[in-house]
Amino acid sequence: MIAAAMLLAACRMEHRSIAADVDPEEWCEPAELVLPNADTLARCDLSLFLRYDPRFREDTLTLRIEVRTPDSLSHTETFLFCAAPERRPPAIHGETAVPYRRRAVFGQRGDYRFLIAPVRPTAGVEAVGLYVETE
């Protein structure tokens, strides 16, 4: 009975991701991620992820994150992204995801815009994105 309930709960979880490519030679410009929202009551967990190549050698990366709501309000913060890039063959690119927000509620319908940039230029990052898991 418990296993069936857990299976049903897992089926109700909605998973999606949004990502933007960045300049792998020198990422310094903000990447814009647009998260459309229609559900103003659902709670969701957000994780930031970076996709990188062998040139990325950082173990931490400070990011500047600006969030713009559908009614044009904005909030800016810094976020310490802790990554431990694994050594891989050059043909295999890495990806690291870290928790960003838990049980967040987007209270307005419309597009939420996330502008994400490193506080200092960095090489080897190919894309930045958000995993969104809705309960």
Side-chain angles (χ1 to χ4, degrees), residues 118-134:
V119 295
R120 61 180 172 72
T122 188
V125 176
E126 297 177 332
V128 61
L130 279 173
Y131 287 124
V132 181
E133 184 177 317
T134 305

Side-chain angles (χ1 to χ4, degrees), residues 22 49-53 91-96 124-129:
V22 298
F49 69 87
L50 296 179
R51 179 172 167 81
Y52 49 84
D53 65 27
I92 300 175
H93 294 242
E95 182 178 297
T96 300
V125 176
E126 297 177 332
V128 61

